[in-house]
Amino acid sequence: MDLSMMNKEQKEAIVTTEGPLIVMAGAGSGKTRVLTHRIAYLLEEKDIPSYNILAITFTNKAAKEMRERVDMLIKEDTSHMWISTFHAMCVRILRRDIDKIGYDRSFSILDTTDQLSVVRDVLKKRNIDVKRYPPRQFLNYISNNKNELITVKEARDLTTTYIDELMANVYHDYQEMLFKNSALDFDDLIMLTIELFEKHKDVLSYYQNKFQYIHVDEYQDTNHAQYKLVKMLAEQFRNICVVGDSDQSIYKFRGADISNILNFEEDYKDAKVVMLEENYRSREIILDAANKVIENNTERKPKILRTSRGRGEKIMMINADNEREEGTEIVSQMQKLNQEGFKYRDMAVLYRANSQSRAIEDALVKSSMPYNMVGGMKFYQRAEIKDLMSYMKVVLNPFDDIAMVRIINTPKRGIGVKTIETLENHAVTLGTSIYDAMKEADFIGIPKGTANKLAVLLSTIDKLKDKAKYMSVTELVDEILHDTGYLEMLIRENTLESTSRIENLEEFKTVTKEFDEANEISDDLLFDFLSDMALVSDQDNIDSEDRVTLMTIHASKGLEFKVVFLVGLEDGLFPSSRSMDTDEEMEEERRLMYVALTRAEDRLILSRAKLRTIYGRTNYTQESTFLKEIPEELLEYNSPFKREMKSGSKRRATRTYTNNEGVSFKVGDKVTHPKFGDGLITQVKGSGDSEELDIIFQAVGPKRLLANFAPIKKKD
DNA sequence: GCCCGTTACGTTTTT
DNA sequence: CGTAACGGGC
Ligand SMILES: Nc1ncnc2c1ncn2[C@@H]1O[C@H](COP(=O)(O)OP(=O)(O)OP(=O)(O)O)[C@@H](O)[C@H]1O
């Protein structure tokens, strides 16, 4: 294999295939590239079967990318190699053997919203005041424990205060509830895999023998449970290679622990340590800025990072008046850079919090610029999508009470809280699930009519369960939407809201279709689909189309762009106000800044708004502490004068488009629209320029329009 | 049992 | 500002 493209240290890391190896190096020094080549080297030069290789990445997208890169390097078959995130790997392991520790093999994976509702349920049953003890705190407590592999029993033994005891009790109830439902949260995926390995050594040794060469990328962001898992797996062959950068550890809130790096050298005293000091990504000015910023962290080992990519342009700093202007200014810089030859796909806008994307999006839309927003997670949170997925969960595993409760009365069937309570209680007495309790509805004091409704639902679920055996996911979705009356409910509603829900369900079917194309019909199909949905966020959205990428700094880890815009450099926003109290958290924020700066290859544009609106309140801001840490000579401020004129002229222009100023609309008015035809007003909301009309048009159905601006005329 | 209005509250960050 | 839990009226 040709390694001439690699420097001496990189080569050393690639060919050191036997024994423990740790590569610790700064941003853009080629760590991920080393991993990819090392895997290719194992397959091609060492003739290791792909079956014996494991590589852990941080995101599913990174996993996919790494496999593609390896495929490009060599002709050997890579399909039996496991490249995935910790969580995806654990799902695969648990799917085979989780029944050995008492869970159903068709377990479901809970998202945060599901977790919260379980906690709320538990708190209610224990009569704990939700106002005094926010559910969120219990969830954090539970997650922290699981990340540290502390079981319910251990947590209970550890209690010293009343609060501790309360927390531990809730942890107990929560875990019991999950167990009963064969439901796992994200942290369970890791913790239960370890439990499985500990209780069933045969399972462990199967994987120990299988994974003879183990790789972990982004090692600085592993938590204790993940550390333990890797250690267990590597025990047999000790061929373990981890790569990372302690300056890029940004997931402490999720339990990430930098001391895992120190642990590694402790655990494997013979570990070879490789340092990479050449950055191949960024221009010198950008790297200087990043290095200077990170030097302000006191709790770190200094390290060298240099580049030979040339000095590059100065970093541009934009001081906008408000976030609106910040957006428009960024867009105009994008257009300018595009003229200079940079493609939109080579540009990214990074921000601290998802909420900041709104202002940028608005500006992009206004200028009809192509963009792609990563994350945000909004789509899968929508009620209709969650409802549909709950139906799918029930079809897969009818004993999943959490999903059952969600759909038992959706669409409305006249099954209320009272009935659900009766069913829940009966399920407890029987020691089974709501599904089983439903079968006995006639005998437990549920009114005849309601019991009949339950019987209908039961048979619907059973029929769907049969159908699921020979159907693709898309076909099953169609059956569910039809048989349960869900689609009919939305069609009947015929409101703006319901129309958009139907559209979302259609959109969801493009996801299922894609899945169906890649997967054969089998007993695992539905399970695989649902766990994919839980595991794969829409981070996969990053595509090759020529458009600007928008994402949080966290999501940008490991990526690179020719042009990076880092927005919202204000104290309280970045660094976040919640992190400014302690030095420790401040240092993590600074690492986040380091990650953001080092994503850029050629151009870096920073920005800030002097006025920012949060929760509808507008406040003056202070320039970010981190901005002050960048040496003045690396920065260049762009002139503010042009902007003032632009925004001034725009304001006047909008006025002239007014169509219906002074015309008053009310519910029941008939109107006509040049494109949509005749319609009836069903709702009037707001006033002035923001007055909105909901209109049902005969030809095209419901629409929401702005009263003053829509080209509509009143009919009499 | 259902619907709608009121209020309270929150935003880091994600597998 | 936007969402989501709760309570009152039907
Ligand atoms: N020896 C090399 N010669 C040329 N280019 C290289 C070399 N090594 C790495 N690169 C390039 O440098 C860039 C950064 O590499 P890579 O993403 O592997 O770094 P990294 O250390 O994983 O970065 P980060 O810590 O930011 O995730 C990539 O574009 C890669 O192709």
Side-chain angles (χ1 to χ4, degrees), chain A residues 198-213:
Chain A
E198 272 170 347
K199 291 192 174 149
H200 297 272
K201 295 291 177 200
D202 54 318
V203 179
L204 173 60
S205 67
Y206 169 80
Y207 288 105
Q208 282 178 334
N209 286 310
K210 175 172 168 56
F211 298 134
Q212 298 181 9
Y213 294 88

PDB file of all heavy atoms in Angstrom, chain A residues 198-213:
ATOM      1  N   GLU A 198     -20.891  -9.084  31.382  1.00  0.00           N
ATOM      2  CA  GLU A 198     -20.447  -9.528  32.704  1.00  0.00           C
ATOM      3  C   GLU A 198     -21.164 -10.802  33.146  1.00  0.00           C
ATOM      4  O   GLU A 198     -20.573 -11.675  33.771  1.00  0.00           O
ATOM      5  CB  GLU A 198     -20.639  -8.408  33.733  1.00  0.00           C
ATOM      6  CG  GLU A 198     -19.416  -7.501  33.780  1.00  0.00           C
ATOM      7  CD  GLU A 198     -19.619  -6.239  34.597  1.00  0.00           C
ATOM      8  OE1 GLU A 198     -20.784  -5.917  34.940  1.00  0.00           O
ATOM      9  OE2 GLU A 198     -18.603  -5.565  34.865  1.00  0.00           O
ATOM     10  N   LYS A 199     -22.444 -10.882  32.802  1.00  0.00           N
ATOM     11  CA  LYS A 199     -23.214 -12.033  33.254  1.00  0.00           C
ATOM     12  C   LYS A 199     -23.083 -13.236  32.330  1.00  0.00           C
ATOM     13  O   LYS A 199     -23.372 -14.355  32.727  1.00  0.00           O
ATOM     14  CB  LYS A 199     -24.690 -11.644  33.394  1.00  0.00           C
ATOM     15  CG  LYS A 199     -24.922 -10.680  34.542  1.00  0.00           C
ATOM     16  CD  LYS A 199     -26.394 -10.529  34.861  1.00  0.00           C
ATOM     17  CE  LYS A 199     -26.586  -9.681  36.102  1.00  0.00           C
ATOM     18  NZ  LYS A 199     -27.849  -8.926  36.045  1.00  0.00           N
ATOM     19  N   HIS A 200     -22.694 -12.954  31.108  1.00  0.00           N
ATOM     20  CA  HIS A 200     -22.581 -14.067  30.143  1.00  0.00           C
ATOM     21  C   HIS A 200     -21.238 -14.013  29.429  1.00  0.00           C
ATOM     22  O   HIS A 200     -21.113 -13.439  28.360  1.00  0.00           O
ATOM     23  CB  HIS A 200     -23.749 -14.018  29.156  1.00  0.00           C
ATOM     24  CG  HIS A 200     -25.064 -14.213  29.835  1.00  0.00           C
ATOM     25  ND1 HIS A 200     -25.609 -15.454  30.046  1.00  0.00           N
ATOM     26  CD2 HIS A 200     -25.910 -13.315  30.403  1.00  0.00           C
ATOM     27  CE1 HIS A 200     -26.766 -15.312  30.707  1.00  0.00           C
ATOM     28  NE2 HIS A 200     -26.958 -14.032  30.933  1.00  0.00           N
ATOM     29  N   LYS A 201     -20.288 -14.623  30.062  1.00  0.00           N
ATOM     30  CA  LYS A 201     -18.908 -14.563  29.572  1.00  0.00           C
ATOM     31  C   LYS A 201     -18.764 -15.143  28.170  1.00  0.00           C
ATOM     32  O   LYS A 201     -17.885 -14.753  27.419  1.00  0.00           O
ATOM     33  CB  LYS A 201     -17.976 -15.324  30.543  1.00  0.00           C
ATOM     34  CG  LYS A 201     -17.889 -14.689  31.923  1.00  0.00           C
ATOM     35  CD  LYS A 201     -17.143 -13.349  31.875  1.00  0.00           C
ATOM     36  CE  LYS A 201     -17.130 -12.705  33.259  1.00  0.00           C
ATOM     37  NZ  LYS A 201     -16.861 -11.267  33.219  1.00  0.00           N
ATOM     38  N   ASP A 202     -19.660 -16.095  27.835  1.00  0.00           N
ATOM     39  CA  ASP A 202     -19.585 -16.672  26.491  1.00  0.00           C
ATOM     40  C   ASP A 202     -19.871 -15.618  25.426  1.00  0.00           C
ATOM     41  O   ASP A 202     -19.223 -15.572  24.381  1.00  0.00           O
ATOM     42  CB  ASP A 202     -20.573 -17.843  26.365  1.00  0.00           C
ATOM     43  CG  ASP A 202     -21.987 -17.437  26.745  1.00  0.00           C
ATOM     44  OD1 ASP A 202     -22.150 -16.708  27.751  1.00  0.00           O
ATOM     45  OD2 ASP A 202     -22.936 -17.836  26.037  1.00  0.00           O
ATOM     46  N   VAL A 203     -20.842 -14.739  25.722  1.00  0.00           N
ATOM     47  CA  VAL A 203     -21.147 -13.666  24.777  1.00  0.00           C
ATOM     48  C   VAL A 203     -19.939 -12.734  24.660  1.00  0.00           C
ATOM     49  O   VAL A 203     -19.514 -12.372  23.563  1.00  0.00           O
ATOM     50  CB  VAL A 203     -22.389 -12.864  25.223  1.00  0.00           C
ATOM     51  CG1 VAL A 203     -22.671 -11.737  24.246  1.00  0.00           C
ATOM     52  CG2 VAL A 203     -23.598 -13.773  25.341  1.00  0.00           C
ATOM     53  N   LEU A 204     -19.396 -12.383  25.816  1.00  0.00           N
ATOM     54  CA  LEU A 204     -18.229 -11.503  25.812  1.00  0.00           C
ATOM     55  C   LEU A 204     -17.090 -12.117  25.009  1.00  0.00           C
ATOM     56  O   LEU A 204     -16.507 -11.457  24.146  1.00  0.00           O
ATOM     57  CB  LEU A 204     -17.761 -11.225  27.244  1.00  0.00           C
ATOM     58  CG  LEU A 204     -16.443 -10.450  27.376  1.00  0.00           C
ATOM     59  CD1 LEU A 204     -16.533  -9.079  26.722  1.00  0.00           C
ATOM     60  CD2 LEU A 204     -16.058 -10.288  28.854  1.00  0.00           C
ATOM     61  N   SER A 205     -16.815 -13.390  25.257  1.00  0.00           N
ATOM     62  CA  SER A 205     -15.641 -13.953  24.581  1.00  0.00           C
ATOM     63  C   SER A 205     -15.878 -14.114  23.083  1.00  0.00           C
ATOM     64  O   SER A 205     -14.948 -14.018  22.291  1.00  0.00           O
ATOM     65  CB  SER A 205     -15.169 -15.248  25.245  1.00  0.00           C
ATOM     66  OG  SER A 205     -16.105 -16.253  25.067  1.00  0.00           O
ATOM     67  N   TYR A 206     -17.140 -14.273  22.709  1.00  0.00           N
ATOM     68  CA  TYR A 206     -17.443 -14.278  21.272  1.00  0.00           C
ATOM     69  C   TYR A 206     -16.973 -12.975  20.618  1.00  0.00           C
ATOM     70  O   TYR A 206     -16.293 -12.974  19.595  1.00  0.00           O
ATOM     71  CB  TYR A 206     -18.947 -14.476  21.051  1.00  0.00           C
ATOM     72  CG  TYR A 206     -19.392 -14.239  19.627  1.00  0.00           C
ATOM     73  CD1 TYR A 206     -19.218 -15.221  18.658  1.00  0.00           C
ATOM     74  CD2 TYR A 206     -19.965 -13.028  19.248  1.00  0.00           C
ATOM     75  CE1 TYR A 206     -19.610 -15.005  17.340  1.00  0.00           C
ATOM     76  CE2 TYR A 206     -20.359 -12.787  17.942  1.00  0.00           C
ATOM     77  CZ  TYR A 206     -20.180 -13.778  16.990  1.00  0.00           C
ATOM     78  OH  TYR A 206     -20.563 -13.558  15.700  1.00  0.00           O
ATOM     79  N   TYR A 207     -17.334 -11.857  21.248  1.00  0.00           N
ATOM     80  CA  TYR A 207     -16.957 -10.565  20.660  1.00  0.00           C
ATOM     81  C   TYR A 207     -15.472 -10.256  20.841  1.00  0.00           C
ATOM     82  O   TYR A 207     -14.853  -9.620  20.005  1.00  0.00           O
ATOM     83  CB  TYR A 207     -17.832  -9.440  21.225  1.00  0.00           C
ATOM     84  CG  TYR A 207     -19.243  -9.516  20.690  1.00  0.00           C
ATOM     85  CD1 TYR A 207     -20.291  -9.982  21.479  1.00  0.00           C
ATOM     86  CD2 TYR A 207     -19.526  -9.159  19.368  1.00  0.00           C
ATOM     87  CE1 TYR A 207     -21.584 -10.082  20.978  1.00  0.00           C
ATOM     88  CE2 TYR A 207     -20.809  -9.263  18.860  1.00  0.00           C
ATOM     89  CZ  TYR A 207     -21.834  -9.727  19.669  1.00  0.00           C
ATOM     90  OH  TYR A 207     -23.098  -9.832  19.157  1.00  0.00           O
ATOM     91  N   GLN A 208     -14.910 -10.734  21.954  1.00  0.00           N
ATOM     92  CA  GLN A 208     -13.471 -10.525  22.164  1.00  0.00           C
ATOM     93  C   GLN A 208     -12.676 -11.217  21.060  1.00  0.00           C
ATOM     94  O   GLN A 208     -11.677 -10.687  20.578  1.00  0.00           O
ATOM     95  CB  GLN A 208     -13.047 -11.091  23.521  1.00  0.00           C
ATOM     96  CG  GLN A 208     -13.417 -10.178  24.679  1.00  0.00           C
ATOM     97  CD  GLN A 208     -13.037 -10.776  26.009  1.00  0.00           C
ATOM     98  OE1 GLN A 208     -12.937 -12.004  26.164  1.00  0.00           O
ATOM     99  NE2 GLN A 208     -12.818  -9.922  26.996  1.00  0.00           N
ATOM    100  N   ASN A 209     -13.131 -12.396  20.673  1.00  0.00           N
ATOM    101  CA  ASN A 209     -12.426 -13.124  19.622  1.00  0.00           C
ATOM    102  C   ASN A 209     -12.715 -12.571  18.232  1.00  0.00           C
ATOM    103  O   ASN A 209     -11.896 -12.665  17.340  1.00  0.00           O
ATOM    104  CB  ASN A 209     -12.788 -14.606  19.681  1.00  0.00           C
ATOM    105  CG  ASN A 209     -12.109 -15.283  20.846  1.00  0.00           C
ATOM    106  OD1 ASN A 209     -10.900 -15.142  21.024  1.00  0.00           O
ATOM    107  ND2 ASN A 209     -12.875 -15.969  21.675  1.00  0.00           N
ATOM    108  N   LYS A 210     -13.887 -12.023  18.105  1.00  0.00           N
ATOM    109  CA  LYS A 210     -14.262 -11.438  16.815  1.00  0.00           C
ATOM    110  C   LYS A 210     -13.477 -10.148  16.550  1.00  0.00           C
ATOM    111  O   LYS A 210     -12.858  -9.989  15.511  1.00  0.00           O
ATOM    112  CB  LYS A 210     -15.765 -11.151  16.809  1.00  0.00           C
ATOM    113  CG  LYS A 210     -16.281 -10.427  15.585  1.00  0.00           C
ATOM    114  CD  LYS A 210     -17.804 -10.369  15.611  1.00  0.00           C
ATOM    115  CE  LYS A 210     -18.368  -9.410  14.577  1.00  0.00           C
ATOM    116  NZ  LYS A 210     -17.932  -9.723  13.207  1.00  0.00           N
ATOM    117  N   PHE A 211     -13.527  -9.264  17.530  1.00  0.00           N
ATOM    118  CA  PHE A 211     -12.884  -7.953  17.331  1.00  0.00           C
ATOM    119  C   PHE A 211     -11.408  -7.998  17.720  1.00  0.00           C
ATOM    120  O   PHE A 211     -11.021  -7.601  18.813  1.00  0.00           O
ATOM    121  CB  PHE A 211     -13.614  -6.879  18.132  1.00  0.00           C
ATOM    122  CG  PHE A 211     -15.046  -6.692  17.715  1.00  0.00           C
ATOM    123  CD1 PHE A 211     -16.047  -6.602  18.671  1.00  0.00           C
ATOM    124  CD2 PHE A 211     -15.395  -6.604  16.368  1.00  0.00           C
ATOM    125  CE1 PHE A 211     -17.377  -6.432  18.284  1.00  0.00           C
ATOM    126  CE2 PHE A 211     -16.715  -6.431  15.979  1.00  0.00           C
ATOM    127  CZ  PHE A 211     -17.709  -6.346  16.940  1.00  0.00           C
ATOM    128  N   GLN A 212     -10.590  -8.448  16.781  1.00  0.00           N
ATOM    129  CA  GLN A 212      -9.169  -8.575  17.106  1.00  0.00           C
ATOM    130  C   GLN A 212      -8.428  -7.255  16.930  1.00  0.00           C
ATOM    131  O   GLN A 212      -7.365  -7.039  17.487  1.00  0.00           O
ATOM    132  CB  GLN A 212      -8.554  -9.664  16.218  1.00  0.00           C
ATOM    133  CG  GLN A 212      -9.207 -11.003  16.501  1.00  0.00           C
ATOM    134  CD  GLN A 212      -8.634 -12.148  15.692  1.00  0.00           C
ATOM    135  OE1 GLN A 212      -7.624 -11.994  15.015  1.00  0.00           O
ATOM    136  NE2 GLN A 212      -9.281 -13.296  15.774  1.00  0.00           N
ATOM    137  N   TYR A 213      -9.015  -6.358  16.140  1.00  0.00           N
ATOM    138  CA  TYR A 213      -8.413  -5.029  15.942  1.00  0.00           C
ATOM    139  C   TYR A 213      -9.474  -3.961  16.199  1.00  0.00           C
ATOM    140  O   TYR A 213     -10.449  -3.848  15.458  1.00  0.00           O
ATOM    141  CB  TYR A 213      -7.845  -4.914  14.530  1.00  0.00           C
ATOM    142  CG  TYR A 213      -6.679  -5.855  14.315  1.00  0.00           C
ATOM    143  CD1 TYR A 213      -6.881  -7.168  13.869  1.00  0.00           C
ATOM    144  CD2 TYR A 213      -5.372  -5.442  14.604  1.00  0.00           C
ATOM    145  CE1 TYR A 213      -5.821  -8.038  13.711  1.00  0.00           C
ATOM    146  CE2 TYR A 213      -4.299  -6.312  14.446  1.00  0.00           C
ATOM    147  CZ  TYR A 213      -4.530  -7.610  13.998  1.00  0.00           C
ATOM    148  OH  TYR A 213      -3.470  -8.461  13.854  1.00  0.00           O
TER     149      TYR A 213
END
